[in-house]
Amino acid sequence: MLATAWLTMQRANEPPAGPADNAPENTYAQIKVDGKVVATVYNSGVSEMSNRAAGAVGDLQDPPGLLGPNLAQWRAENYAKRLGGTVEKASTAITQAQWKPRESTSSTYSREQLDAAFAAMVEAGQRTSAQGAASYQSSLSSSERQTDLSA
């Protein structure tokens, strides 16, 4: 469990692989009601909307198996229908064929990965301990470092 937690922390410190799903350059469409944007759907299928719009959309269930731009299109059309608005497709919208799903962030690790992570974790702990001891020793004055051997 320690090795799994350590691997998860290491992954969290890695820079993201490209812009976030909800970055402006990933916009698929906006849903407008009376000229105002009430929801935005992104190429990955992720969506953002106001609380009012979310209340009106209700418990809309996505069809199984839809991903990426196909999901984005389905959501945009259904949100517009439920909200009484229109879909304005963005110039940054892509097709399903152009979409590249993000790499999986599975937290299932092999025995070899866990063993290597545990070894790296122990080594990092030993380095930190050694650095702490060295900085402590260097902070002592010479009189504090002398040992009374006569006792």
Side-chain angles (χ1 to χ4, degrees):
M1 289 190 329
L2 287 173
T4 299
W6 190 80
L7 284 167
T8 301
M9 276 185 10
Q10 297 303 310
R11 183 180 292 161
N13 292 330
E14 292 175 2
D21 285 348
N22 65 344
E25 62 267 30
N26 288 331
T27 301
Y28 182 83
Q30 293 182 324
I31 293 75
K32 293 185 176 184
V33 175
D34 297 327
K36 292 184 180 182
V37 176
V38 296
T40 303
V41 183
Y42 299 91
N43 288 314
S44 67
V46 169
S47 61
E48 294 177 330
M49 64 186 75
S50 67
N51 287 339
R52 180 174 283 178
V57 167
D59 61 352
L60 185 64
Q61 298 293 311
D62 296 333
L66 273 186
L67 299 169
N70 288 345
L71 176 59
Q73 180 178 347
W74 185 89
R75 284 184 171 177
E77 291 169 358
N78 283 277
Y79 291 174
K81 189 184 312 177
R82 289 210 178 181
L83 297 168
T86 58
V87 175
E88 187 175 296
K89 202 165 180 179
S91 62
T92 52
I94 61 173
T95 65
Q96 191 70 27
Q98 294 171 306
W99 183 61
K100 304 270 187 285
R102 286 192 180 271
E103 192 175 307
S104 172
T105 56
S106 171
S107 59
T108 303
Y109 300 103
S110 69
R111 177 84 256 157
E112 292 80 21
Q113 289 173 308
L114 291 172
D115 289 345
F118 190 79
M121 185 177 68
V122 168
E123 182 182 322
Q126 288 172 341
R127 269 195 318 270
T128 301
S129 293
Q131 289 170 350
S135 67
Y136 174 75
Q137 287 296 323
S138 67
S139 70
L140 296 176
S141 68
S142 61
S143 63
E144 292 173 313
R145 279 188 250 159
Q146 293 178 358
T147 306
D148 183 5
L149 299 175
S150 62

